[in-house]
Structures are given as C-alpha cells and as structure tokens.
Amino acid sequence: MRTQHPPLPAAGNLASAWIPSPLGPMVAVADDAGLLLLDFADRRDLPAALARIAAHLPPDSPSPPDHPHLSLIARELRDYFADDRLNFTCPLAPTGTPFELRAWTYLRTIPPGETRTYGQQAATIASPAASRAVGRANGNNFLAIVIPCHRVIGAAGKLTGYGGGLHRKAWLLEHELRVRMELAAR
C-alpha cells in the first residue's frame, strides 16, 4: 500500500514531489534552474524553507508535475540508497545569502565517507573565527544529501547539528563510508 502524503504548497513556477528513502519520505522542489529543496518531510523548519524559496521566485506559469529535475534526483537518490552512487549530477539552484552559498559550495568538496569540522570549514571559506556562523549556514541548507552538511562534525569528532536528526547523520556517514569502500573494490 502506498503512503499518502499531503499536497505540497504551490508557488510560482515550482514543481514538487515526494521521494521515498530508507530514512523516511523526502520532499523535493525544483524549478527550471535546478533543485531548490530536498529534505526529510519531518524536518521542523521545512515550512519556513518552502516559504523562503517561494519568496525568491517571481510568480510565473507552473512547471509540469513530471519535472525533469525531480525525475533525475529521484533516480539518483534511488541509486545512492541502493549503494550504486555517491555523487549527484542533478542541477542545483540553492537560495541563500552569499555567506551561505560559500559555505554550501565548500560542503560539496568534502568527499563521500569523509568528515570535516565546522572549524575547518570556517577556515577554508576565509572566515576562521566563524564556526558558529558556518553551523547556522549549514543548518539553513535544505538540499540534504546533495549538499552534504551531514559530513561536518564537531571539533571533538562528535556528531552535532543536523536538521534531519543525528540518527540520520550517523546513518548517512556510515552508508557513504561503506559504499565508498565497496565501489573502490569493484
């Protein structure tokens, strides 16, 4: 039996979809520029993220419900969770401040199965004293998994701060390390 999900809010030229995952249902939102949001449906800040995205887009004609970016990310996530891929090719169109965009660009440089600390991230994006600001920026990332903020940990090596929940962060890190080793052995 298929789980029924409530309809997602429509705004401007956005298309949205529910995507199943072993960690719970995910919500994806895209426009013609790329994927704007991909996150777990139970994330507390999800309604605010949807409103933030809608505020950045001009009203226009709706995108088709079978949007190519949504189809692509659904396929790529299926492969990711089936241990067949660790990287994504779906075009991304994140909305954020210039600092957030820098922080998120850095996140995409962390190889799957590896971690960096908030301090390392802050130092690399030329803000060495900005660990807390980096943490806030990562918390405002609503492109889970594809912009991998789950790969950032606390200075003492502890898992901290993940909008999807620390249990998911731990699962994603273990999954990526295992798949990375399996793919290297093939």
Side-chain angles (χ1 to χ4, degrees):
M1 176 177 237
R2 205 168 165 196
T3 304
Q4 294 295 315
H5 298 287
L8 297 171
N13 61 347
L14 301 178
S16 59
W18 291 94
I19 300 174
S21 90
L23 298 173
M26 298 186 81
V27 176
V29 177
D31 70 1
D32 293 337
L35 193 64
L36 297 157
L37 180 138
L38 175 68
D39 220 317
F40 296 99
D42 62 356
R43 182 165 174 181
R44 182 185 58 200
D45 298 336
L46 189 59
L50 291 167
R52 177 177 163 180
I53 288 169
H56 282 82
L57 298 172
D60 206 351
S61 60
S63 294
D66 58 345
H67 196 280
H69 297 320
L70 296 178
S71 299
L72 177 58
I73 196 60
R75 249 187 340 273
E76 290 185 339
L77 280 171
R78 186 176 52 244
D79 292 348
Y80 173 87
F81 288 118
D83 303 349
D84 291 330
R85 86 165 35 247
L86 288 173
N87 296 302
F88 297 88
T89 64
C90 186
L92 304 180
T95 57
T97 67
F99 182 80
E100 287 172 337
L101 294 172
R102 275 198 339 263
W104 301 337
T105 297
Y106 172 81
L107 293 173
R108 296 187 74 201
T109 69
I110 305 170
E114 294 185 19
T115 59
R116 302 292 184 271
T117 66
Y118 292 99
Q120 288 172 313
Q121 183 181 4
T124 302
I125 65 171
S127 302
S131 293
R132 286 190 177 156
V134 161
R136 278 191 302 279
N138 291 357
N140 287 332
N141 168 33
F142 282 88
L143 284 162
I145 303 172
V146 296
I147 296 182
C149 57
H150 63 274
R151 296 180 191 153
V152 181
I153 59 174
K158 294 185 95 171
L159 299 185
T160 61
Y162 185 63
L166 292 182
H167 68 288
R168 287 183 176 130
K169 185 172 189 165
W171 191 97
L172 291 167
L173 289 171
E174 291 169 14
H175 171 75
E176 289 180 351
L177 182 58
R178 181 182 49 77
V179 172
R180 183 174 158 184
M181 293 169 48
E182 286 174 9
L183 292 174
R186 288 184 191 173

